[in-house]
Amino acid sequence: MANIKERTFIAIKPDGVQRGLVGDIIKRFEQRGYKLVAMKMVHADTKMLEEHYKDLAGKPFYAGLVKYMNSGPIVAMVWEGLQAVSTGRKLLGATNPLDSAPGTIRGDFCIQTGRNICHGSDAVDSAEREIALWFKKEELVQWDHHSAPWIY
Ligand code: RTP
């Protein structure tokens, strides 16, 4: 059965925050019908970022990626709804913004892979890992739209 409560971890990276794109990025998820269940601004330390990106350790861009993500605060969020993980990735667009379709967040707002303004979990299990890394259980807020079942 479809999981209408699937959750994904989305982060607005330091360049997205500094460029004033927080509202635009949140709006894309809201208007698609996803539900915001957690959000905080955090200037993550290197240890946290190395844990978050541990699957990429060894990649030539890893050190630069951690430095970039540590260069300023990020906005960490959890969004919930039907196929939140895969649709979240579609809303973000391809990793390399030059390959991102217009209409996607990266396709509309950026041009460089190393400055691609947002992060989204790539699978349900990595979403669970990332949500547990960035948020305490009590920071995930349960709430309902009451009589509007078409909104997740
Ligand atoms: P993300 O985790 O940020 O949503 O990105 P992704 O899954 O689409 O891409 P991934 O391969 O996991 O890379 C994570 C982030 O590392 C930076 N990157 N730089 N060649 C490069 O310089 C390079 N490749 C990747 C990007 O910021 C990418 O989003």
Side-chain angles (χ1 to χ4, degrees):
M1 211 181 88
N3 179 12
I4 62 163
K5 294 211 169 279
E6 187 174 296
R7 288 176 172 179
T8 190
F9 175 73
I10 300 291
I12 304 172
K13 296 179 177 180
D15 49 339
V17 173
Q18 288 163 28
R19 291 179 52 204
L21 296 173
V22 172
D24 286 292
I25 294 170
I26 290 174
K27 187 167 178 57
R28 303 290 179 109
F29 282 84
E30 279 189 327
Q31 68 189 7
R32 189 67 190 257
Y34 288 106
K35 182 162 86 176
L36 184 61
V37 296
M39 179 166 73
K40 64 181 165 190
M41 194 167 197
V42 48
H43 194 150
D45 61 20
T46 304
K47 195 167 155 261
M48 178 73 158
L49 294 164
E50 284 173 351
E51 179 62 25
H52 174 80
Y53 282 122
K54 67 179 182 189
D55 293 350
L56 298 175
K59 296 274 185 196
F61 57 84
Y62 179 71
L65 172 61
V66 170
K67 196 172 166 205
Y68 155 52
M69 290 294 289
N70 174 246
S71 67
I74 67 166
V75 174
M77 300 178 283
V78 178
W79 288 90
E80 181 182 282
L82 196 61
Q83 286 187 18
V85 171
S86 63
T87 312
R89 297 278 290 188
K90 285 183 196 156
L91 288 172
L92 262 47
T95 304
N96 180 348
L98 295 179
D99 297 328
S100 303
T104 64
I105 292 165
R106 289 170 177 155
D108 287 349
F109 296 125
C110 57
I111 47 180
Q112 238 185 305
T113 303
R115 297 289 180 268
N116 61 359
I117 69 169
C118 49
H119 161 82
S121 307
D122 62 4
V124 172
D125 58 349
S126 43
E128 283 167 5
R129 180 183 82 83
E130 291 169 4
I131 291 167
L133 176 66
W134 289 92
F135 289 96
K136 297 183 196 124
K137 256 203 167 104
E138 59 270 25
E139 291 176 317
L140 303 167
V141 180
Q142 297 271 9
W143 62 286
D144 283 315
H145 290 95
H146 299 292
S147 59
W150 48 85
I151 302 174
Y152 302 110

